[in-house]
Amino acid sequence: MITPHYWTQATAHLSQQCRTMAAIIATYEGESMQARPDGFFTLLRAICGQQISVKAADAVWAKFTKAVKPLTPQKLLRVRDTTLRACGLSGQKVAYVKNIAQFFAENEVTPEYWAARDDSEVNKALVSIKGVGTWTAEMFMMFHLARPDIFPIGDLGLIKAIDRHYTNGVRLKPAEYIALAEPWRPYRSVATWYLWRAIDPVPVAY
């Protein structure tokens, strides 16, 4: 687990840009997003956490990692679907994690593979895997590649946090959320992480 190299610079920038963000950052001083060196892990963790609470996702993940040891593409492809369903995955999610395993088994996915691609190219490569959507690709870019300026507008937790801290509970249009986050560039990933932190009992990690 690695703290992104830009974290200190990002928190200073965000604190200067916005009093509300400065207060949130101060509340969680000493905490930071942690990037994982294993992209396969991050993608699987994101699939397991789709559309369920952080607590529920943690429970599913604990069972999943016990069932798939070691956590490699080759091992996952050999695990029975019924075993994965018993971990709490839906039939659809079982298919998705198997698709991800197939992608990693068939491609030489190295750090250089992703480093040569910008955010839009990474997203395009990942969403070509059936079951991986833009949100999952964004989690990958934040928590594996540590890209600094990801703003997952489709994340309900992020919208909930913005509504609580910035709009007095008024739901905005997507374009309005994007405009609201404009001052956070080029560190919208960091702002997103702190907003999640402000509403979750434990830090979000994938």
Side-chain angles (χ1 to χ4, degrees):
M1 301 284 278
I2 303 167
T3 299
H5 67 86
Y6 51 76
W7 200 261
T8 299
Q9 183 177 350
T11 55
H13 170 82
L14 293 169
S15 295
Q16 187 176 43
Q17 290 292 320
C18 174
R19 290 182 180 179
T20 299
M21 188 63 67
I24 295 172
I25 290 171
T27 300
Y28 300 100
E29 184 177 1
E31 297 186 23
S32 66
M33 182 175 76
Q34 296 294 294
R36 294 182 183 274
D38 186 346
F40 182 61
F41 180 109
T42 298
L43 278 178
L44 296 179
R45 184 70 177 82
I47 292 293
C48 288
Q50 282 180 352
Q51 299 178 330
I52 58 177
S53 70
V54 173
K55 183 177 180 180
D58 287 344
V60 171
W61 184 249
K63 294 177 182 178
F64 180 84
T65 51
K66 285 183 179 179
V68 187
K69 286 187 176 181
L71 189 58
T72 65
Q74 293 75 16
K75 174 62 177 179
L76 177 52
L77 289 170
R78 292 196 299 268
V79 175
R80 293 177 180 273
D81 290 2
T82 52
T83 300
L84 298 177
R85 288 291 300 272
C87 296
L89 294 178
S90 65
Q92 194 172 49
K93 285 187 177 182
V94 168
Y96 293 168
V97 297
K98 289 288 185 81
N99 290 341
I100 291 169
Q102 195 69 46
F103 176 84
F104 274 76
E106 293 177 352
N107 295 277
E108 188 176 350
V109 185
T110 63
E112 292 74 24
Y113 180 92
W114 301 114
R117 292 164 168 79
D118 64 21
D119 293 349
S120 63
E121 291 170 331
V122 171
N123 181 72
K124 183 178 180 180
L126 289 174
V127 299
S128 70
I129 306 170
K130 187 175 181 180
V132 176
T134 295
W135 178 86
T136 303
E138 288 167 339
M139 296 306 101
F140 180 86
M141 287 188 279
M142 286 181 67
F143 289 97
H144 173 55
L145 300 181
R147 298 287 172 94
D149 198 36
I150 304 301
F151 186 61
I153 188 63
D155 186 271
L156 296 179
L158 173 60
I159 297 304
K160 178 181 177 181
I162 293 175
D163 288 350
R164 178 180 298 179
H165 291 280
Y166 286 91
T167 75
N168 292 317
V170 176
R171 184 56 56 93
L172 305 180
K173 296 178 181 178
E176 293 174 312
Y177 286 110
I178 292 171
L180 186 152
E182 194 64 24
W184 303 338
R185 288 182 182 271
Y187 299 114
R188 290 180 298 172
S189 296
V190 180
T192 294
W193 186 88
Y194 276 109
L195 285 163
W196 280 332
R197 187 68 187 91
I199 64 169
D200 285 323
V202 294
V204 173
Y206 287 102

